[in-house]
Amino acid sequence: MASDFSKYSLVIGRFQPLHLGHMDVIRKCAEESEHLTIGIGSAQYSHTVENPFTAGERYLMIEETLKAEGITNYSIVPVEDLNRYSVWVAHVVSMCPPFSCVYSNNPFTKRLFSEAGFKVKDSPLYNRSCYSGTEVRRRISDGEDWRSLVPSAVAEVIDKIDGEGRIQSFNASDAQL
Ligand code: ATP
Ligand code: MG
């Protein structure tokens, strides 16, 4: 019997950094899917306020966390921005293993994938007031507790690369390149 990819799914985010809200979705999607592709969006950016971590660092955060959780049916694919939305879905498809279903709650992402004929499933937001990348970065920047918002494997990676020091260096007003 020919195999099909009807239970192959995609979740895409920037994961700057991976937090417990992302993990709530990833856990459920990995359970519901035969295979889950985790797309790391805006992969070419790093060392900025919005995108402090490289694609490779984000890759490691996801890989170490899923290893600790015992999740194995996934691939991680860094995806660079194209800044050309009409062909963005084709670009994602060209980089990822096959998938039929996309989990997202971002209306624009949902729109682009459904226009391209993909099945799109809502992924409800889990405690969004604190589980957001923006809030994790703000807390790191302001020296507040951020470790409770991320998996412990993510905190370990951030410590190893001195992510706190990197993010706090963005505050220095005379920083010049
Ligand atoms: P940022 O604040 O940096 O934009 P973010 O928390 O919005 O970060 P992204 O890396 O932009 O996360 O990834 C967006 C995707 O992550 C969304 O499509 C959404 O499905 C999922 N997501 C983000 N936060 C949560 C959450 N608290 N609960 C469930 N899913 C979430
Ligand atoms: Mg976001």
Side-chain angles (χ1 to χ4, degrees):
M1 194 180 81
S3 61
D4 70 64
F5 297 109
S6 60
K7 294 197 81 182
Y8 279 50
S9 311
L10 172 77
V11 170
I12 193 155
R14 287 182 302 111
F15 306 109
Q16 287 285 10
L18 176 74
H19 55 66
L20 295 176
H22 291 133
M23 275 315 295
D24 191 61
V25 173
I26 288 174
R27 214 176 281 121
K28 280 185 205 150
C29 297
E31 224 172 83
E32 281 179 21
S33 308
E34 204 174 317
H35 182 272
L36 175 66
T37 298
I38 301 166
I40 301 179
S42 303
Q44 75 269 44
Y45 298 116
S46 71
H47 295 81
T48 69
V49 172
E50 289 278 298
N51 290 290
F53 304 115
T54 67
E57 290 162 349
R58 290 178 267 163
Y59 191 111
L60 192 61
M61 292 174 198
I62 297 168
E63 187 179 57
E64 294 289 313
T65 301
L66 298 198
K67 195 197 295 170
E69 294 231 358
I71 298 171
T72 56
N73 59 330
Y74 70 93
S75 306
I76 303 171
V77 180
V79 181
E80 293 186 11
D81 286 348
L82 273 192
N83 296 315
R84 205 171 150 208
Y85 293 119
S86 60
V87 291
W88 183 70
V89 169
H91 170 61
V92 173
V93 168
S94 77
M95 301 301 291
C96 292
F99 60 91
S100 306
C101 175
V102 180
Y103 289 85
S104 179
N105 53 35
N106 180 297
F108 192 53
T109 303
K110 283 161 56 178
R111 176 88 211 168
L112 290 175
F113 278 104
S114 63
E115 281 183 8
F118 285 89
K119 188 161 62 174
V120 174
K121 288 197 189 173
D122 257 320
S123 54
L125 286 170
Y126 175 56
N127 200 354
R128 178 68 172 166
S129 58
C130 59
Y131 294 150
S132 89
T134 302
E135 177 64 9
V136 177
R137 297 191 300 276
R138 186 198 68 73
R139 290 193 190 188
I140 294 175
S141 179
D142 293 350
E144 294 176 21
D145 165 58
W146 53 271
R147 291 169 196 274
S148 58
L149 308 185
V150 302
S152 56
V154 169
E156 275 169 35
V157 173
I158 291 177
D159 286 340
K160 279 185 191 157
I161 61 174
D162 188 24
E164 283 185 324
R166 184 184 299 170
I167 287 176
Q168 286 163 4
S169 76
F170 303 148
N171 293 332
S173 58
D174 61 351
Q176 283 185 341
L177 291 179

